[in-house]
Amino acid sequence: MEEFQGPEPGRHNMTETTRSLELNQSKWWISVFFCGFLIFAGDSLVMLLLNFYYVQDNRSANDIDQQYRGTWTQALVQNVAFPVLIPLFFILPKPNPETVSDHQTNKRPSFLRVLLLYVSLGVLVSVYSKLYALAKLYVGWGVLVSAQLILTSLFSAFINRLKFNRWIIVSIIFTLASDFFCTPAFSGTPTDDESYTNGIKTWLILIFPTLAFSLSLSITQLGFEKVLVKTKRYGNKKVFRMVLEMQIYVSLIATLICLVGLFASGEFKELKGDSERFKKGKTYYILSLVGLALSWQVWAVGLLGLVLLVSGLFADVVHMCASPVVALLVVFAFDFKDDDFGWQRRGALLGAVLALASYFYYLHKTKKKEVAELNKREHNNSEEA
């Protein structure tokens, strides 16, 4: 399950080479489903714990200014738990680098190029962590994720040169429809009066985090394909260890930026008051933040895993298709007014299934074509011999 690319054709017989490719494809499929599970689990835990946090925080009882505080804390929580990944990073075996010529060695990315990749992604992650935390209090949760898939599609086309076909387009349409009809209930959603009061400001806060998130997916994919995979330690091999390295370093930089924001804004002074205002007490306040921090890491590892294995667009599609499942769990866990799993959300759940089925069918056809091309190539070589 460690290496994801297929074998290079060599002087093996047709059966051995085909079996090797099929074995690597089986490992690849297992990895894709595992990362998808991490996204669904992370999305679910994050939304459940966020709802719990804002219910206990009693946000609606605060004054207008106080209602929009604590966003640097939430941004920090989204990134700060990266140290839990460090032991796993060292446990995973290192890949055996391929033997390369001196000419190829000179083409390896420099340390500064890798550093620039991590710094730029760390800045983007800190930006969308902060602004998402703020935007979901101004405009709610649903509008946020709807806009980002369109931006991710555009960035994937122009930055990653993704070729769209009918199955990908159908998947995007079903995903957007599913998300439009099924947004999980969120206890931090502003009231109508709050939304009206903020006007254009809410849309500006909406645009920038979705832009930063979508751009980060495309740059992450570019970083995996053009930078990390060509470093000496990976030797042109895509391995899961790359996901952990990316997440650790990017989260470290984002955490430092969020810490600066937390102290520069003076928000750290309010942490004691937040814990005292928490309905269930300080212990549950700490546990909810710890749970959120760990859940965000689960989600991020799954997301980056799919970016490495498939693409940033596919990772975003899976992330958005989790919404109907998350909405169902919120209905079961909380007794929010007018929140039920009605016909709209049932239809959205069906739409999410169709969206995933369309994209998975495209991936299945792509992998099947690889095997067919390998068989044809080996057959031609055997006839020439």
Side-chain angles (χ1 to χ4, degrees):
M1 185 176 173
E2 179 64 14
E3 297 182 9
F4 303 123
Q5 71 277 6
E8 293 293 332
R11 295 183 178 178
H12 303 289
N13 62 58
M14 189 190 321
T15 304
E16 289 178 349
T17 309
T18 304
R19 285 178 179 174
S20 179
L21 178 60
E22 290 175 345
L23 178 60
N24 277 311
Q25 287 191 0
S26 298
K27 294 178 180 179
W28 182 87
W29 280 112
I30 292 172
S31 301
V32 168
F33 282 109
F34 175 70
C35 291
F37 168 77
L38 291 181
I39 291 179
F40 271 71
D43 270 327
S44 301
L45 290 171
V46 165
M47 182 55 75
L48 291 173
L49 288 170
L50 275 176
N51 272 300
F52 175 78
Y53 177 88
Y54 282 107
V55 166
Q56 299 301 320
D57 188 56
N58 200 19
R59 173 180 176 274
S60 59
N62 297 323
D63 58 72
I64 293 296
D65 293 332
Q66 186 67 26
Q67 286 180 355
Y68 301 107
R69 307 288 286 183
T71 50
W72 276 117
T73 303
Q74 288 295 325
L76 179 63
V77 166
Q78 185 170 342
N79 299 286
V80 75
F82 69 89
V84 301
L85 302 176
I86 296 177
L88 182 59
F89 174 77
F90 287 105
I91 289 173
L92 290 177
K94 294 181 180 180
N96 297 320
E98 296 177 351
T99 303
V100 296
S101 64
D102 294 337
H103 177 69
Q104 289 174 309
T105 301
N106 294 332
K107 287 187 176 182
R108 281 176 175 158
S110 64
F111 170 77
L112 289 178
R113 190 176 178 185
V114 177
L115 180 62
L116 178 62
L117 171 67
Y118 288 147
V119 171
S120 59
L121 284 174
V123 171
L124 283 174
V125 169
S126 64
V127 167
Y128 77 66
S129 297
K130 161 63 178 177
L131 293 182
Y132 262 127
L134 191 62
K136 63 177 178 271
L137 298 179
Y138 272 87
V139 297
W141 192 272
V143 186
L144 288 171
V145 290
S146 299
Q148 76 186 30
L149 183 59
I150 298 175
L151 290 173
T152 303
S153 302
L154 293 175
F155 285 134
S156 295
F158 290 104
I159 297 178
N160 306 116
R161 304 299 183 187
L162 179 67
K163 294 181 180 179
F164 289 81
N165 58 39
R166 62 179 180 274
W167 295 109
I168 295 179
I169 295 173
V170 167
S171 179
I172 292 173
I173 293 173
F174 274 123
T175 303
L176 289 172
S178 174
D179 185 77
F180 179 79
F181 287 106
C182 187
T183 300
F186 176 53
S187 55
T189 300
T191 63
D192 293 337
D193 292 337
E194 293 170 357
S195 299
Y196 176 78
T197 302
N198 295 303
I200 187 70
K201 184 178 180 181
T202 62
W203 291 103
L204 292 177
I205 294 176
L206 166 66
I207 292 171
F208 286 109
T210 54
L211 186 67
F213 178 79
S214 299
L215 184 59
S216 70
L217 287 180
S218 292
I219 293 179
T220 298
Q221 182 179 340
L222 200 65
F224 279 138
E225 296 173 350
K226 303 297 184 181
V227 181
L228 283 189
V229 76
K230 295 183 179 180
T231 57
K232 182 179 179 180
R233 58 186 174 277
Y234 293 116
N236 295 321
K237 293 183 178 180
K238 289 185 177 182
V239 294
F240 196 75
R241 189 184 175 97
M242 294 169 63
V243 171
L244 298 180
E245 178 182 329
M246 178 81 77
Q247 178 60 15
I248 289 169
Y249 283 111
V250 171
S251 294
L252 171 61
I253 295 169
T255 296
L256 294 176
I257 295 174
C258 291
L259 279 173
V260 172
L262 183 71
F263 284 94
S265 65
E267 194 175 296
F268 72 97
K269 299 176 182 179
E270 302 169 6
L271 294 177
K272 183 178 180 181
D274 291 342
S275 63
E276 292 175 347
R277 190 173 61 249
F278 213 68
K279 291 180 183 179
K280 285 190 174 293
K282 295 182 180 180
T283 301
Y284 279 92
Y285 173 79
I286 295 173
L287 289 176
S288 64
L289 291 182
V290 170
L292 269 171
L294 295 175
S295 300
W296 278 120
Q297 293 301 311
V298 171
W299 172 80
V301 169
L303 190 77
L304 292 185
L306 288 187
V307 174
L308 173 69
L309 294 166
V310 187
S311 67
L313 177 60
F314 178 68
D316 204 8
V317 166
V318 174
H319 166 48
M320 291 183 62
C321 285
S323 291
V325 177
V326 175
L328 178 60
L329 294 176
V330 171
V331 170
F332 287 148
F334 299 92
D335 187 24
F336 292 138
K337 184 179 179 181
D338 298 328
D339 183 34
D340 57 13
F341 204 76
W343 66 269
Q344 284 185 326
R345 289 184 170 177
R346 294 173 188 174
L349 182 60
L350 177 61
V353 171
L354 293 175
L356 291 175
S358 298
Y359 216 121
F360 274 109
Y361 179 70
Y362 160 69
L363 295 176
H364 168 71
K365 287 183 62 178
T366 302
K367 294 300 175 181
K368 189 176 180 180
K369 184 179 179 181
E370 289 179 5
V371 176
E373 289 178 349
L374 178 61
N375 288 333
K376 182 179 180 180
R377 190 161 55 245
E378 290 294 331
H379 180 71
N380 292 336
N381 290 339
S382 62
E383 287 184 347
E384 291 176 359

